[in-house]
Amino acid sequence: MRNNSSATVRFRPVVPSPSAPGLWWGLLGIAAFSFTVPFTRLAVGALSPLFIGSGRAVVAAILAAAALALTRQRLPHRALWGRLALVAGGVVVGFPLLTSFALTTTPASHGAVVIALLPAATATAAVLRGRERPPLAFWLITGLGALAAIGFASMQSGGFGQLHWADVLLLGAVVAAAIGYAEGGLLARELGAWQTVSWALVLAWPLMLFLTMLSVAQQPPSATPGQWAAFAYLGVISMFLGFFAWYRGLAIGPMAQVSQIQLVQPVLSICWAGLLLGETLTWATIVGGVAVILCAGAAVRVRHRPAPALATRSASSLQALGD
């Protein structure tokens, strides 16, 4: 069959070839996010958790509004605002506020271990949102990872069945962020990566500004220069610029490989907690972190592995078209 025949079917590769720039951008984003838990722990030493959780979003929203205005971005279609609200509820409102309150009473290294469940939780949210049908091994490994995280938190809180309220908040933060990441990943295909985060920040700005003013009225902020620097990092880097590098890495791809870099984040966070905050790393923290990270990594790998039946069916279709 000739190449210029109208019946000729040309296929583009579905999965792009490995790209070093994508991996490096993804690693840069994760490196930026890895300071979030330690710096939140540092900031809550003087500032109220409500001020930190809401104020950092206000700072990021101002930067996002300026970026959208300078680049003259068009308003998203009205049908997308509901989905943007879901993203905002997860990564702008839910995760920052829940982690800020949780880290008032729990060490940063402890919080990093519980939050290590986020990669598997994000993969689960993406599966449910995208109506995928992963193999049974995915659900088994994801469940094992959840049990490992809950078991670690329980033992650190005094024994099984005695979860501290901070652990419940951290688990809630994981769920909120997973939903926001999954929906944001889908929206990024339509609006663009940084535009999705920016519109979510702008959408949540009125609520977060109100909460910030409420926190200031209840407890006027007063902190050391180091604690203010930590707060500035949370607003500028963790809530805004870090997403630029992370989503750019995912856009360059391959997304399956780049997304697994997120497994490095809890390891880095635990290291920063020891170096910057002087927290003592116990064997329980190390073993718990390794167990959760291994389960999350296995779940992500299983989810991105194509089903044999689907692969066989695709190969048969290609062969039939070639014949």
Side-chain angles (χ1 to χ4, degrees):
M1 186 176 291
R2 299 185 308 274
N3 287 336
N4 60 354
S5 171
S6 59
T8 300
V9 180
R10 297 181 181 179
F11 296 96
R12 296 180 179 179
V14 177
V15 181
S17 59
S19 174
L23 295 175
W24 283 113
W25 278 109
L27 184 59
L28 179 62
I30 289 304
F33 293 150
S34 68
F35 287 95
T36 299
V37 171
F39 280 167
T40 301
R41 176 62 177 169
L42 176 62
V44 296
L47 301 171
S48 73
L50 181 60
F51 177 81
I52 296 171
S54 57
R56 60 191 270 192
V58 171
V59 172
I62 294 174
L63 298 175
L68 291 170
L70 289 175
T71 56
R72 299 181 179 181
Q73 298 292 317
R74 294 183 178 181
L75 284 172
H77 191 274
R78 61 183 180 181
L80 299 179
W81 285 104
R83 297 170 62 190
L84 281 170
L86 194 61
V87 176
V91 301
V92 180
V93 180
F95 186 83
L97 286 174
L98 291 173
T99 52
S100 296
F101 278 98
L103 291 170
T104 58
T105 58
T106 191
S109 56
H110 178 101
V113 172
V114 179
I115 295 175
L117 191 60
L118 183 56
T122 302
T124 301
V127 164
L128 296 176
R129 179 63 178 85
R131 297 180 180 179
E132 301 177 15
R133 294 184 177 180
L136 178 61
F138 170 82
W139 298 111
L140 293 177
I141 296 172
T142 300
L144 184 61
L147 290 176
I150 295 173
F152 165 81
S154 297
M155 288 186 291
Q156 294 288 298
S157 301
F160 284 101
Q162 298 183 15
L163 274 177
H164 194 272
W165 68 272
D167 296 312
V168 177
L169 293 179
L170 288 170
L171 291 173
V174 168
V175 174
I179 295 173
Y181 280 165
E183 191 63 43
L186 293 175
L187 269 177
R189 301 173 183 175
E190 304 175 43
L191 296 178
W194 72 267
Q195 292 92 334
T196 298
V197 177
S198 297
W199 285 119
L201 286 165
V202 170
L203 180 61
W205 181 79
L207 172 62
M208 305 311 277
L209 179 62
F210 170 77
L211 294 178
T212 301
M213 296 174 63
L214 178 63
S215 67
V216 171
Q218 293 177 345
Q219 178 184 335
S222 177
T224 65
Q227 289 167 328
W228 278 118
F231 173 78
Y233 184 95
L234 294 174
V236 177
I237 307 297
S238 296
M239 288 290 291
F240 190 59
L241 294 181
F243 280 100
F244 280 45
W246 176 236
Y247 281 130
R248 178 166 177 77
L250 291 176
I252 295 175
M255 186 175 294
Q257 284 83 349
V258 175
S259 65
Q260 294 182 50
I261 299 177
Q262 193 177 16
L263 298 170
V264 180
Q265 182 176 337
V267 179
L268 293 176
S269 294
I270 292 173
C271 292
W272 304 145
L275 293 174
L276 301 177
L277 305 179
E279 294 185 1
T280 302
L281 302 183
T282 65
W283 279 109
T285 300
I286 296 173
V287 172
V290 170
V292 175
I293 291 168
L294 288 177
C295 290
V300 173
R301 286 181 177 274
V302 169
R303 181 217 166 193
H304 289 298
R305 188 179 301 159
L310 180 60
T312 303
R313 194 160 49 242
S314 300
S316 300
S317 300
L318 289 175
Q319 183 178 2
L321 286 170
D323 295 339

